[in-house]
Amino acid sequence: MEPTIGIVVCGFTGNRQFVTNPYIQAVRYSKGLPVILPLVRSDRILDQYTGLCDGFLFCGGGDITPLLFGEEPKKGNGKTSITVDLFQIRLMKKILETGKPVFAICRGMQILSVACGGSIWQDMKLIPGGNVLDHMQQSASRSDISHRIRTERDSRLRQYIGSVLYVNSFHHQSVNAPGKDMLVSARAQDGTIEGIELTGHPFAIGVQWHPECMYRSSPEMRSLFHEFISHSFIKRGTAGHNND
C-alpha cells in the first residue's frame, strides 16, 4: 500500500480551507496516498494527525505573522493569519518530534525554519545591499523557470537533484536566520536561501521554489518528490514493525 501523506491545508479563502491541486497530484503521481489535513484547534487531533500519516507536506501560502519569529511588522509584510500560523507551527513541532518525513515548500519552508527558532525576511527589499533578484516571477505558466540555484556540497538536496538547477519562484519573503540545527542546502545567485534541511533528521527538507508545479516538466522535481515518498514508505514500514 502507498504511504499516507498528510498535505497540510494552505490557508483560508473566505470561509473555505484550501489546498491547490498540484500538491495533491504530485503526491499521487509519486505513489503516495494524499490526505488533506484541515486546520483544527485541538492538540488531541494534531496528535492523531501525526499518528495517521507516514509523511507530511507543508505547502505555500500567505505571509507569517512577524511576532511569531520575534519581530514587529515592517513595511512590505503582506496579509497574515495568526490562526493558520499557530496551527502549522504547532503541527510542525509535533511532527518533527516523531522523526517522520517532512517536505516543506515555499511558505512551508519558512514555517519549518520558524518552528525551529529561525527568522524570516518580512520582505526581500529589506535585505541589506539591495542586489536581490526579483523572486516573484510573472510568467505564463507556474512551471516556467525563473532563476538558478546551487545546492551545497554534502547536502541531501545535492544528492537528490544535483549541484545546479533552474527553478521557478513565487515569493517576496525568505529565510533570514535558519532555525536550530538547520543546514542551508541551496542558495540563489543573489545569496537568497533556497533550501534548508534539518541535521540528524531522516528527511526534513524545505525548498523555496515550487517543485509541485514543475513535476511534469522536471525530472529533478520528480526525483525530489519520489525521495520524500520513499522515505515516508520506509518510516511506515518501521512503525509497522515496531507495532508487531
Side-chain angles (χ1 to χ4, degrees):
M1 292 178 63
E2 296 90 347
T4 301
I5 304 300
I7 304 176
V8 181
V9 68
C10 300
F12 283 86
T13 175
N15 198 36
R16 299 177 180 177
Q17 300 189 44
F18 74 96
V19 168
T20 52
N21 192 51
Y23 296 107
I24 299 169
Q25 295 303 318
V27 168
R28 175 195 167 208
Y29 292 140
S30 302
K31 307 301 183 184
L33 176 65
V35 175
I36 297 173
L37 303 181
L39 186 154
V40 292
R41 297 179 180 88
S42 167
D43 284 339
R44 177 180 60 83
I45 293 180
L46 294 189
D47 289 336
Q48 288 184 285
Y49 282 174
T50 61
L52 172 69
C53 300
D54 305 304
F56 297 84
L57 178 62
F58 282 75
C59 308
D63 291 358
I64 301 173
T65 305
L67 290 173
L68 297 180
F69 50 89
E71 296 184 7
E72 301 285 344
K74 299 177 182 177
K75 186 174 181 180
N77 188 61
K79 292 182 179 180
T80 60
S81 170
I82 197 167
T83 301
V84 175
D85 297 339
L86 289 173
F87 161 69
Q88 292 187 349
I89 291 171
R90 281 205 307 268
L91 180 57
M92 179 70 81
K93 288 179 177 179
K94 285 180 177 290
I95 294 166
L96 292 177
E97 289 175 357
T98 71
K100 291 184 176 182
V102 174
F103 188 21
I105 293 172
C106 199
R107 168 192 163 90
M109 167 172 141
Q110 297 165 15
I111 288 288
L112 173 59
S113 183
V114 170
C116 294
S119 63
I120 303 296
W121 289 111
Q122 295 184 39
D123 189 89
M124 296 177 70
K125 293 177 182 177
L126 299 171
I127 298 175
N131 295 318
V132 179
L133 298 173
D134 183 358
H135 286 262
M136 185 62 75
Q137 75 185 67
Q138 304 294 325
S139 61
S141 171
R142 288 178 70 87
S143 65
D144 290 349
I145 59 175
S146 175
H147 64 78
R148 184 174 58 176
I149 64 161
R150 181 176 294 276
T151 57
E152 297 293 334
R153 190 185 304 275
D154 298 326
S155 67
R156 288 180 177 268
L157 268 183
R158 176 164 290 196
Q159 177 184 345
Y160 300 150
I161 64 176
S163 59
V164 178
L165 194 66
Y166 287 87
V167 300
N168 56 10
S169 187
F170 302 96
H171 64 103
H172 80 102
Q173 295 190 321
S174 64
V175 170
N176 181 359
K180 182 181 178 182
D181 298 324
M182 282 288 173
L183 169 72
V184 175
S185 55
R187 291 184 183 270
Q189 298 303 297
D190 60 2
T192 297
I193 296 174
E194 292 279 339
I196 57 174
E197 49 196 64
L198 188 59
T199 58
H201 192 286
F203 191 104
I205 290 178
V207 298
Q208 191 58 70
W209 67 92
H210 281 268
E212 80 285 357
C213 294
M214 300 178 68
Y215 187 90
R216 292 181 181 273
S217 60
S218 169
E220 290 86 0
M221 304 311 169
R222 292 194 291 274
S223 173
L224 196 49
F225 267 97
H226 280 279
E227 287 290 344
F228 168 52
I229 300 301
S230 176
H231 279 80
S232 300
F233 186 84
I234 292 169
K235 190 63 180 179
R236 185 192 67 169
T238 302
H241 178 75
N242 289 340
N243 289 333
D244 289 341

